[in-house]
Every structure is written in C-alpha cells, then in structure tokens.
Amino acid sequence: MQFLARQDFPKLLESLIIAGYQCIAPQIREGAIVYDKLQSVTQLPQGYRDNQRPAHYQLEKNEDVLYFGWAVGVQALKPLTFAPRESLWTAKRDANGKLTFIETHPEIPPTAVIGVRACDLAALHLQDQHFAYNSYSDTYYNARRRQLFLISVDCAFPASTCFCASTGDGPSAQTGFDIALTEFPEGFLVRSKSSRAEAILATLPLTEVSETQQQAALAQNQQAIEKQTRQLPSRNLKAAFFANLEHERWQDIATRCLACGNCTSVCPTCFCHSESAEPTLDGSSNTQYRQWDSCFTLGHSYMHSFVLRDNILLRYRQWLTHKLGSWHDQYGRSGCVGCGRCLTWCPVGIDITVEAQAICGESL
Amino acid sequence: MTQMTVASARARHNAYLPVEAEIVEFVQESQTIFTLGLRLTDPALHAAYHYAPGQFNMLYLHGVGEVAISIVSDPEHEDLLTHTINRVGRVTRGFAQLQVGQRIGVRGPFGRGWPLREAEGQDVIILSGGLGCAPVISVINYIMRRRERFGHLTIVQKVKHVDEFIWPERYEKFKQVPDTTVLVASTEGSVNWRWDVSPRIKILEEVQVRSERTVAMMCGPEGMMQSATQYLTSLGMQESSVYLSLERNMQCAVGHCGHCQFGGQFICKDGPVFAYSEIKHLLGTRGI
Ligand code: SF4
Ligand code: SF4
Ligand code: FES
C-alpha cells in the first residue's frame, strides 16, 4: 500500500492517457452522477454528496475537497461491457439469393475507468460469469471487457439506499480491480493487483503509508458499514422465495409496480436482452441487433401465441425470485450486490430489501 | 489446419453467427405443418455438423429474424438436417412460404437432447401431445432404426382434433413393428378416424410399465406432461427416468439473453430436455 498526495492525482490521469487509455470517470450531468470520458480532473464531481432514498436522488454540494464523496450514480460499468444496444452481425443477400453473414467486431479502445465502486466490481464479476465464463463465451462482451482497466475508490459515504455490507460486496473493494484507492482530503491510499497497474503506479510520486493512515482507512471502512441501515438477509433466499410464490404480498406489490423496467435497466447484474432484425428497405441486407430487455416487458415471456407472464404480479415475481432466488442455482450466489439503484430509480419507490423481508421473513 | 477444421472452428467461435443453408426439400405435412430439409452450403461445415436427437437449431429467415426449431433428422442416417415447423408466428409463417433452392441461416445445434444412452436396453415410452410431436418423432425414428437395442416400445400420441395428427402412415407402420405398442387418440373424432376417441390422456391407462428402469420421453403441453408423469410414476416408474422437452421464448440459444429461464434453468442450454426430477418443483406453476 502506498500514498498519492491529492495535488499529484492529475498525474494518474496523465499516466493513463500516456499509456494509451481513454479514461472514463464520474461527472455530473443533469443533476446526476454519470460515467463519461474524462479529459481533466476538474470534471470530477468534487465536493458532492448524493442524497438517495426510494424514488429520490439529489446531489448536494458540500464544501469538502473529495472527488468521490458520493455513493453510486445511475449506471457504472454495465454499459461498457454489455452494450445497451449493439449489432451482432449483418446478413447480405445477393441477386442469386445467396446469403453472406458478416460478424460485427466491436472496436473499443483500451479504457480506464476511474471511480468504480466495490458493488460495481462484484456486479462485473457476476456479468463475467454469465457472459464470459460460461459454456458459450460471448465474443461481443469479451471484446469490451478485455479492454477495461479498473480503478476503484472505496465508499466512505454510502447512501441511505446502500446495503452492500449485508450482501458482502462492499463498501471497500477487495478484488477485481487493477488499482484500488481509498480517498482522504489529503490524498489517496493506493493498492494494486496487476502488473499493468504496477507499470502505471511506477510513474507516480508515491510515498510510504503511515500506520495512522492505515488505521484511518480501516476506520473509514468501519464507519461506512455502520452508516448502512438497510440490509438483505445474507443467507440463500431461494427456498424461502419458492416456498412463497403464492404469498399475498406479491399482489400488494403488483398494485404499486408500474412495470416500467427502470429497476432492471439500472441493475448492474441484470443481463436480459432481446434480438431484433433490422433489414434495409430493399431487403438485401439485414443487421441483427441485441439490446437490453427487461422481464417487466410483455414481450419477454412471449411464446408464439401467448404471453406467459401476462400480469405485473407474475413479472415482478419473476424479477425478484430470479434476482434473489434462482440466481443461486445459476451462479452460486444472489444476483444482488446491494447497490440500491433499483430503490432510488423506481418511480414508486419499491424497496427490494423491504419486499424480500415481507415475503421471506416468516420462512427464515 | 485443413480447410474443414478452420471453417468449423470459425463457426464454433461465435455462437451468435449463423451459416448459410439451402432448402433442399420442402414437404407440406398438413395445412399448417411443413418440413424443411436443409444442407449447409459450405460442404465442409455440412460434413462437420454433428447433433443429437432432441437438440435444436436457430433458423434465420432473411430480414425477419430467428426461431428455435428442433432437429428431426437422424444424425447417423440422414444427410439433410430436417426441421418440422408449425406455422404459428411471424418467422414461421415466413418459412412456410419458402421454396426449394432458397437460402436461410442456421446456427446450432443447441441444448441437451434425449437420454438415448440411458434408454438403451430398457423399455421406452414416448408420449406427445398436440402439435408438439416434432421433437419426439426424432427419437421414435432413432429407436426404430436401432430397434434391437431397446426393450418394449410404447408410442402414445394425443391430439385434440384429428387434423393435428400428422404422419398417420408412419404410425400405421410403427404398429407393425414387433414388441411395439402404438396408442393414438383424439379428443374429437371424425368419420375417417381409425384411432381412439378419448378425452384428456385416458389412453395412458393402456400403457404398461414392466420395470422401474423404463424410460419415458415426452413433449407437449406442460399440464399434460405433468399428469402423465404422475400417472407413470404411480405405475412404478422413477421420476428421474421421465424426460420432458420444455418450450419457452428463445432468442440467443446460448444461455445469455434470459428469455428461456425456468427457475434457475436456461431451457436453451440446460434443456430443452429435462428429467422430471429436475423441474418438478416448478412445473405447472403459473408464470414460471
Ligand atoms: S437488485 Fe437493486 S440493489 Fe441489488 S444489485 Fe440490482 S439494482 Fe442494485
Ligand atoms: S419495481 Fe419500480 S422500477 Fe421496477 S418495474 Fe416496478 S415500478 Fe419500475
Ligand atoms: S434463449 Fe437466451 S438464455 Fe436461453
């Protein structure tokens, strides 16, 4: 572990750019934190907190010097690896009716993401398991994933919606990063996990970390854990959910949920997508696209002549029983990393921790 | 690497990418059901294409899209890849209008097929309901070609209307094969109907289970498969020896898009064929 003084932080950005990375980092757009291309550290959201609660998100100016004093933005890594919409291949038909299929190769420059959260890394690991380390490894996902260089920053100020401590995914990054930072007003504690990270760090004026600084990092982590008031039961809820498929709470949720799909689109682990054919007008060429889909749409469970989940109760139930239940069968853990986004961005403020407790509580 | 292995390695590399196939045969089986016989136009790919009964392909109709269709041909005895299709949706209606010589896209094979190894030496019961009989015809043909390797064979086919019953002459032939029982019934009869008329799956009562090692394979409506399984297990069959082919919306066929999930299973890659014991806790639950 080493120390990088705050005034030297811009050098990290310079080194990454010299090493050939485009940098993506948090910035403020229309009142929210989003991840976008970064040219200068002055674009970072310095001195902000995010006030989040179900159906509520507001950035608040705070006079401190911290760049990463907020919790989570709307999205983080998911759009970078699993594109919201992308072309898979193009089919061309010649005058004789012969078809040629041309594979799309996504061209992504090496990309360094600064300000990744522990929950984002955990979600990325789940997406890796789903798309990359599976019986079929997804060439589109892999092409994007391979280019990422990840610089995490531990959370010091979780939002009221955060519950990553209860899912075991935060608030401090343990694994999955190239470089991990812990931020203090005077600078950053720096940890690294990869040799390419060492090469970047070698260009920076790093100093030894004092015993006091190490203690301060531990204390910051402890305080961040204590700030979290929400939690999910840490045990496997699969059996409890599937024993409660007829629980009356589902009907209660169904009267509130609008089936808008906001929760699935902000969730960093949701992987559903649909394919569509988009032919040119003359029909000679067709491009096959895939785009994010949601289990809240009617089309998601369409089966040539009927819709399997034809009401909101069944669709919400599919979402929650998959996310917190059957995900265990697929990837050995729940599909929730406790980022709280689905609470914040739900227009009616449905809280997954409350609903899980209401449905499974008596079965635990 | 030879030309062939280069080509097939490339085809495997991206499971989303179809290869071109030519329609070599088009057979109209009934008003709405037809069979496409396909040959991959790259001879090396065609020769290297291996599959098992019960697996499926994603067939691409140019400019319209893809659809999952099970492969009905015999992997060891037939050259063409055949697919029997019911005209029910946008893509299948388009396929129904194609002609011999036209080109489509194919990617596959996907999924886990029928447990034919396990069934060798055992009595076999094959049951299908309604129009969902295409997946089982592959296994019936497979066993007929290798009849001596299996015990007593019972074929049960249940339809609602007589015109859902395709291939009557094949079933007549199956009946002549030694050690084979063929039970066909329709809920509604008609003047020329030579088989049973009975509601639901009453004909199952004629099925005999001689050994607990009997293997059953079925496809059709989930409710029918569920009650059939309960009946067969009450006759002494093991739940782990009853296999069901399930159907859901399928788009990627490789376990990525999430549409085909059945609880924790991806029907496209963990199925479409499952042992009853693997899925019974959710089978028949609305919205799963
Ligand atoms: S379910 Fe909600 S809290 Fe959990 S990872 Fe997804 S968006 Fe975050
Ligand atoms: S739970 Fe909330 S965010 Fe999700 S679909 Fe329902 S209303 Fe939309
Ligand atoms: S068809 Fe896409 S996951 Fe099964």
Side-chain angles (χ1 to χ4, degrees):
Chain A
M1 204 187 290
Q2 289 166 298
F3 183 74
L4 177 68
R6 180 164 295 277
Q7 71 269 17
D8 293 323
F9 186 68
K11 296 195 173 114
L12 171 60
L13 183 62
E14 282 163 31
S15 293
L16 290 166
I17 292 171
I18 291 169
Y21 291 100
Q22 67 161 343
C23 293
I24 303 273
Q27 291 155 57
I28 299 175
R29 292 276 147 67
E30 294 170 28
I33 302 266
V34 300
Y35 284 67
D36 204 346
K37 287 190 189 123
L38 187 85
Q39 269 81 38
S40 146
V41 295
T42 59
Q43 294 169 282
L44 291 168
Q46 191 170 28
Y48 279 92
R49 297 283 182 278
D50 51 0
N51 183 347
Q52 301 193 44
R53 55 178 192 271
H56 180 86
Y57 177 96
Q58 195 176 18
L59 283 178
E60 283 166 4
K61 187 77 179 128
N62 165 302
E63 293 314 317
D64 69 27
V65 296
L66 302 179
Y67 291 127
F68 305 96
W70 39 273
V72 283
V74 192
Q75 299 278 0
L77 296 175
K78 187 168 90 166
L80 298 174
T81 48
F82 169 34
R85 176 181 153 88
E86 70 183 317
S87 111
L88 300 174
W89 42 264
T90 295
K92 293 204 189 300
R93 183 167 61 191
D94 71 11
N96 300 320
K98 183 165 178 51
L99 292 177
T100 312
F101 295 90
I102 306 146
E103 187 179 358
T104 308
H105 297 282
E107 297 203 351
I108 319 296
T111 300
V113 190
I114 304 170
V116 179
R117 297 309 195 183
C119 60
D120 297 325
L121 292 172
L124 180 70
H125 181 65
L126 280 173
Q127 291 248 315
D128 283 350
Q129 279 181 281
H130 179 71
F131 285 110
Y133 307 129
N134 214 327
S135 33
Y136 295 93
S137 194
D138 190 300
T139 56
Y140 307 93
Y141 180 91
N142 294 345
R144 296 170 194 282
R145 175 68 176 94
R146 208 179 288 132
Q147 298 295 56
L148 292 190
F149 182 99
L150 301 168
I151 302 174
S152 67
V153 182
D154 293 339
C155 270
F157 300 94
S160 90
T161 43
C162 293
F163 52 97
C164 64
S166 72
T167 63
D169 298 305
S172 296
Q174 307 300 334
T175 180
F177 52 79
D178 291 284
I179 296 174
L181 304 175
T182 308
E183 186 180 30
F184 293 107
E186 61 277 17
F188 297 85
L189 297 197
V190 183
R191 290 171 283 154
S192 76
K193 272 265 164 79
S194 64
S195 50
R196 55 185 191 165
E198 292 298 335
I200 298 286
L201 295 182
T203 65
L204 302 178
L206 299 175
T207 56
E208 291 285 297
V209 171
S210 71
E211 179 64 27
T212 334
Q213 284 170 323
Q214 290 198 25
Q215 290 304 328
L218 290 175
Q220 188 193 73
N221 181 52
Q222 193 52 41
Q223 281 162 14
I225 292 172
E226 283 159 13
K227 279 185 193 128
Q228 298 190 5
T229 51
R230 288 186 157 78
Q231 58 181 32
L232 266 187
S234 57
R235 51 183 290 190
N236 182 343
L237 296 179
K238 187 196 150 198
F241 268 113
F242 285 97
N244 283 297
L245 291 177
E246 302 305 328
H247 198 290
E248 56 193 25
R249 184 77 176 194
W250 297 114
Q251 184 52 50
D252 177 69
I253 303 170
T255 61
R256 289 176 278 141
C257 174
L258 312 172
C260 64
N262 272 13
C263 48
T264 55
S265 92
V266 295
C267 180
T269 69
C270 273
F271 51 67
C272 281
H273 57 272
S274 57
E275 289 192 29
S276 61
E278 301 197 6
T280 50
L281 275 180
D282 69 356
S284 64
S285 168
N286 170 60
T287 300
Q288 191 80 359
Y289 284 92
R290 74 168 171 201
Q291 57 215 354
W292 291 0
D293 194 4
S294 165
C295 53
F296 283 93
T297 65
L298 277 173
H300 190 278
S301 63
Y302 178 74
M303 291 186 50
H304 45 71
S305 52
F306 68 102
V307 172
L308 191 71
R309 291 185 276 275
D310 58 358
N311 62 50
I312 294 182
L313 185 157
L314 295 176
R315 300 211 283 285
Y316 188 90
R317 193 182 75 181
Q318 169 66 20
W319 188 63
L320 203 60
T321 54
H322 178 223
K323 184 73 48 185
L324 302 181
S326 39
W327 208 292
H328 284 274
D329 289 345
Q330 296 170 344
Y331 300 111
R333 57 159 292 174
S334 116
C336 177
V337 297
C339 74
R341 288 183 176 94
C342 59
L343 286 66
T344 299
W345 299 102
C346 174
V348 296
I350 294 173
D351 180 338
I352 183 175
T353 64
V354 171
E355 303 309 341
Q357 186 62 37
I359 291 158
C360 302
E362 282 168 17
S363 312
L364 296 181
Chain B
M1 263 203 246
T2 67
Q3 196 62 35
M4 185 178 109
T5 52
V6 172
S8 49
R10 194 177 302 135
R12 263 201 314 274
H13 175 65
N14 180 356
Y16 281 90
L17 190 70
V19 296
E20 189 199 41
E22 181 181 342
I23 299 174
V24 181
E25 258 174 36
F26 186 109
V27 184
Q28 194 70 45
E29 311 280 4
S30 79
Q31 249 187 7
T32 62
I33 301 172
F34 57 97
T35 299
L36 296 181
L38 304 174
R39 178 178 290 122
L40 305 184
T41 51
D42 177 337
L45 286 183
H46 190 76
Y49 186 95
H50 296 297
Y51 61 98
Q55 286 194 297
F56 67 95
N57 277 323
M58 293 302 291
L59 302 186
Y60 163 74
L61 178 63
H62 187 59
V64 182
E66 292 185 316
V67 63
I69 305 285
S70 64
I71 312 169
V72 297
S73 41
D74 188 310
E76 287 157 27
H77 292 270
E78 284 171 79
D79 179 41
L80 297 184
L81 295 169
T82 62
H83 299 81
T84 295
I85 305 174
N86 188 17
R87 198 182 65 197
V88 282
R90 206 167 59 94
V91 186
T92 50
R93 273 199 298 273
F95 276 118
Q97 287 158 24
L98 294 180
Q99 286 162 9
V100 167
Q102 285 187 293
R103 311 293 174 96
I104 66 170
V106 174
R107 58 186 180 97
F110 296 115
R112 176 176 68 164
W114 298 108
L116 291 163
R117 280 271 155 67
E118 184 191 326
E120 279 199 22
Q122 309 303 333
D123 288 356
V124 177
I125 299 169
I126 295 175
L127 184 140
S128 65
L131 292 172
C133 61
V136 293
I137 201 72
S138 65
V139 78
I140 298 175
N141 289 338
Y142 184 95
I143 293 175
M144 285 299 176
R145 275 220 170 76
R146 302 156 181 82
R147 192 64 197 85
E148 69 296 345
R149 294 201 218 154
F150 298 86
H152 186 83
L153 175 64
T154 309
I155 300 171
V156 187
Q157 165 76 34
K158 178 72 184 65
V159 292
K160 272 212 191 88
H161 309 285
V162 297
D163 53 3
E164 285 178 2
F165 184 55
I166 60 171
W167 301 321
E169 56 314 320
R170 290 197 203 180
Y171 282 77
E172 291 291 354
K173 268 197 210 137
F174 296 154
K175 257 177 95 168
Q176 314 306 322
V177 179
D179 210 14
T180 303
T181 309
V182 179
L183 302 165
V184 178
S186 170
T187 313
E188 293 167 21
S190 86
V191 218
N192 295 323
W193 184 249
R194 317 228 312 269
W195 305 86
D196 273 10
V197 175
S198 83
R200 314 205 49 210
I201 43 169
K202 200 160 177 303
I203 39 166
L204 259 189
E205 287 166 16
E206 292 173 46
V207 175
Q208 291 187 5
V209 173
R210 299 189 307 185
S211 140
E212 62 157 36
R213 298 179 63 191
T214 303
V215 174
M217 306 182 210
M218 42 179 98
C219 67
E222 283 170 26
M224 179 214 78
M225 292 196 284
Q226 196 171 22
S227 34
T229 306
Q230 281 154 4
Y231 180 71
L232 291 175
T233 49
S234 78
L235 297 185
M237 276 196 67
Q238 301 291 314
E239 289 183 346
S240 55
S241 303
V242 177
Y243 291 85
L244 290 66
S245 180
L246 297 188
E247 246 194 292
R248 282 294 178 276
N249 181 348
M250 292 208 201
Q251 304 205 3
C252 69
V254 293
H256 291 165
C257 78
H259 286 91
C260 69
Q261 289 178 87
F262 183 90
Q265 314 265 18
F266 292 96
I267 289 182
C268 63
K269 83 177 162 79
D270 303 325
V273 174
F274 292 97
Y276 181 71
S277 48
E278 296 174 296
I279 50 169
K280 68 167 181 179
H281 56 295
L282 289 178
L283 196 70
T285 312
R286 190 164 135 72
I288 294 289

